[in-house]
Amino acid sequence: EVQLAQSGGALVQPGGSLRLSCEASGFTFNDRTMHWVRQAPGKGLEWVSLITWDGTYTSYADSVKGRFTVSRDNIRNSLYLQITSLTTEDTAFYYCAKDGGGYNWYFDVWGRGSLVTVSS
Amino acid sequence: SSELTQDPAVSVALGQTLRITCQGDSLRNFYAAWYQQKPGQAPVLVIYNKNKRPSGVPDRFAGSSSGDTASLTISGAQAEDEADYYCSSRDSNDNRPVVFGGGTRVTVL
């Protein structure tokens, strides 16, 4: 079964940092682009970041650029999101998602989400 | 703000047909994908590459596209189809390579 197991969500103070993890199973992790998508409570989905299969290309939403860093370990079948300089506007569920492949990026498998709450 | 535009909410009578639209410039160059999200759950892909259904998605879900508008049609809506639906697509803007619509809340009456 294809799965993405997430961990790392927490309550963090403004200005703090956190690392989210996402462990993949059931598919060939090292040939897939992976994404992070977030959803603030009661709000819509927001694309956050992507990393290509080999880690050579990354991209970020303007709202997180310079504060978030995506990385992957293809030996451990794991995806990471290092988040720093957190503000209350970063409070959200963070989902890792597998790209479906091909020219049109879409998300065919999602993790269950990690809740990041930024509050003093 | 979202770069893809969706109606915030629509309702449909049980067993009737519903169409949700998603409009944006990126759809002139890239196919839309559609996701269903129920309360407290992660989104689930229901349509990709304009009109393809993942395994396990009922065939009452169908996608189409014309110009800058993509559509998701649910034929014979069931109670379990009540959910939020989001469209997304790739975008040619390197600063924003993936865009989402704001979501449409579907109520089955």
Side-chain angles (χ1 to χ4, degrees):
Chain A
E1 184 185 1
V2 177
Q3 284 189 335
L4 296 172
Q6 296 190 230
S7 60
L11 170 63
V12 185
Q13 290 189 337
S17 300
L18 195 63
R19 189 175 85 155
L20 305 180
S21 300
C22 171
E23 184 174 354
S25 60
F27 66 97
T28 305
F29 179 73
N30 63 14
D31 73 358
R32 288 294 185 182
T33 291
M34 297 293 294
H35 302 261
W36 289 97
V37 175
R38 70 181 180 181
Q39 185 173 36
K43 302 296 185 182
L45 300 172
E46 179 189 16
W47 175 83
V48 171
S49 180
L50 71 84
I51 184 167
T52 51
W53 64 274
D54 58 357
T56 59
Y57 177 74
T58 60
S59 183
Y60 301 90
D62 285 344
S63 57
V64 307
K65 202 171 291 184
R67 300 187 299 120
F68 289 18
T69 303
V70 62
S71 62
R72 66 191 297 159
D73 183 337
N74 285 346
I75 301 298
R76 292 183 168 83
N77 287 343
S78 291
L79 174 73
Y80 306 101
L81 186 68
Q82 181 71 42
I83 51 181
T84 63
S85 303
L86 283 159
T87 74
T88 55
E89 294 190 352
D90 296 316
T91 294
F93 278 95
Y94 286 74
Y95 297 100
C96 61
K98 169 182 167 287
D99 192 272
Y103 183 67
N104 297 286
W105 288 336
Y106 61 92
F107 318 110
D108 63 348
V109 181
W110 295 67
R112 299 181 73 170
S114 293
L115 178 60
V116 175
T117 304
V118 184
S119 175
S120 54
Chain B
S1 63
S2 303
E3 300 301 330
L4 296 176
T5 301
Q6 298 181 239
D7 290 332
V10 296
S11 60
V12 60
L14 184 68
Q16 296 303 301
T17 295
L18 167 71
R19 189 171 77 169
I20 306 167
T21 61
C22 170
Q23 184 177 26
D25 287 341
S26 62
L27 299 178
R28 296 187 183 279
N29 300 305
F30 301 99
Y31 289 141
W34 291 91
Y35 307 90
Q36 177 193 70
Q37 186 180 35
K38 297 181 178 179
Q41 298 182 19
V44 173
L45 178 70
V46 294
I47 293 289
Y48 66 101
N49 287 355
K50 186 173 79 171
N51 57 8
K52 293 183 170 48
R53 277 180 291 107
S55 172
V57 174
D59 61 5
R60 63 179 178 271
F61 289 86
S64 61
S65 182
S66 178
D68 69 348
T69 301
S71 300
L72 173 69
T73 300
I74 307 174
S75 301
Q78 302 299 302
E80 60 264 32
D81 299 335
E82 188 163 289
D84 293 330
Y85 291 83
Y86 294 90
C87 61
S88 78
S89 80
R90 187 170 178 174
D91 194 300
S92 54
N93 183 337
D94 286 343
N95 290 324
R96 190 192 60 224
V98 180
V99 289
F100 277 101
T104 298
R105 175 150 296 177
V106 169
T107 301
V108 180
L109 303 172

